[in-house]
Amino acid sequence: MECGGSIIAPGWVLTAGHCVSDDLNPKNYKVKAGVFDEAKSDEEAEQVVTVQAIHLHPDYHAHPPHHDIALIQLSTPLTFDEHTQPVCLPKTDDAQLTAPGDLWVTGWGTFREGGDLLSRRLRQADVPIVDPTTCEKEYRRLLVEEVEFCAGKPGVDSCQGDSGGPVVSQADSGSWFQYGIVSWGKGCAENHWAGLYARVSPFCDWISTTTNSTVQCQDVL
């Protein structure tokens, strides 16, 4: 499975649990960073590193995914430059996850439900927050509000191949914070079926513990 992820430290990548849950052998994975055109293998900024360990959240539930988060520990640290940078993680998210929000999702996923061609180039979409009451009606009590949220509108959504990628918003300070991880949903960009995203802030303690305090969530300023 090809998935997205986000760099949260030189040696750590954040992704969705369902991207790795079927195979926790780190030897079967590589991480590419600094990529724009995924089809190319000679981009000047591209970095490819092997994986030392995969850490799946202990409460991960597969069908449908809940606590859908995992950490990838890299064998060698990434080099930060103008194409490869870490994203900040927020201590809290209530203000940012209030409709309509100002969230952006990125990835190399397919253009439509059931499509078999991934996007060659990194794409982005501005996905509006869907309030929990509306999302509950759409997904019939499948939403676990404590650890996930809904976002998107007809014609604007993440899709297959975007899983594990970040949902971010820019703070007043100019820093980008990651509030969600592409998780699951019914179809892509359909009416009455928003995308579901794992929240990041509820997992701050687990992230800190797993990374031996290398990664800490921050106040959003």
Side-chain angles (χ1 to χ4, degrees):
M1 177 188 294
E2 289 195 20
C3 280
S6 54
I7 301 164
I8 56 175
W12 291 92
V13 169
L14 182 66
T15 190
H18 75 267
C19 288
V20 298
S21 60
D22 289 340
D23 183 0
L24 297 177
N25 185 349
K27 294 181 179 179
N28 294 331
Y29 296 89
K30 288 185 178 180
V31 169
K32 292 174 68 175
V35 178
F36 175 65
D37 189 334
E38 209 281 327
K40 293 182 178 180
S41 59
D42 59 352
E43 288 187 301
E44 182 179 350
E46 181 176 295
Q47 301 179 55
V48 181
V49 296
T50 56
V51 173
Q52 177 178 321
I54 295 173
H55 305 267
L56 179 66
H57 193 277
D59 293 331
Y60 171 74
H61 178 273
H63 302 293
H66 299 307
H67 296 82
D68 193 13
I69 187 171
L71 288 165
I72 297 176
Q73 187 175 1
L74 306 180
S75 300
T76 55
L78 294 166
T79 300
F80 291 161
D81 55 29
E82 61 179 325
H83 299 282
T84 300
Q85 289 287 324
V87 68
C88 301
L89 303 183
K91 287 183 178 179
T92 60
D93 62 12
D94 290 343
Q96 291 77 16
L97 297 186
T98 300
D102 183 25
L103 300 179
W104 291 85
V105 62
T106 53
W108 287 270
T110 59
F111 295 93
R112 60 181 175 81
E113 165 73 10
D116 55 1
L117 292 177
L118 297 174
S119 173
R120 284 189 54 179
R121 295 184 174 181
L122 184 65
R123 305 177 77 224
Q124 64 180 14
D126 187 357
V127 285
I129 294 292
V130 176
D131 70 83
T133 301
T134 300
C135 190
E136 281 280 0
K137 293 177 181 178
E138 294 177 350
Y139 281 95
R140 299 180 183 179
R141 296 187 297 278
L142 292 178
L143 172 70
V144 181
E145 190 178 345
E146 293 78 13
V147 293
E148 56 196 20
F149 65 92
C150 286
K153 63 182 180 181
V156 180
D157 195 6
S158 52
C159 204
Q160 282 79 31
D162 291 322
S163 290
V167 184
V168 300
S169 183
Q170 191 172 27
D172 292 340
S173 64
S175 298
W176 287 89
F177 282 79
Q178 180 175 350
Y179 292 95
I181 303 167
V182 180
S183 183
W184 67 286
K186 294 189 177 181
C188 297
E190 296 182 11
N191 192 23
H192 300 307
W193 297 112
L196 277 87
Y197 299 87
R199 292 171 60 183
V200 171
S201 62
F203 300 104
C204 284
D205 289 344
W206 177 75
I207 292 170
S208 176
T209 300
T210 304
T211 63
N212 196 25
S213 298
T214 298
V215 181
Q216 300 280 351
C217 293
Q218 305 174 37
D219 292 320
V220 180
L221 302 175

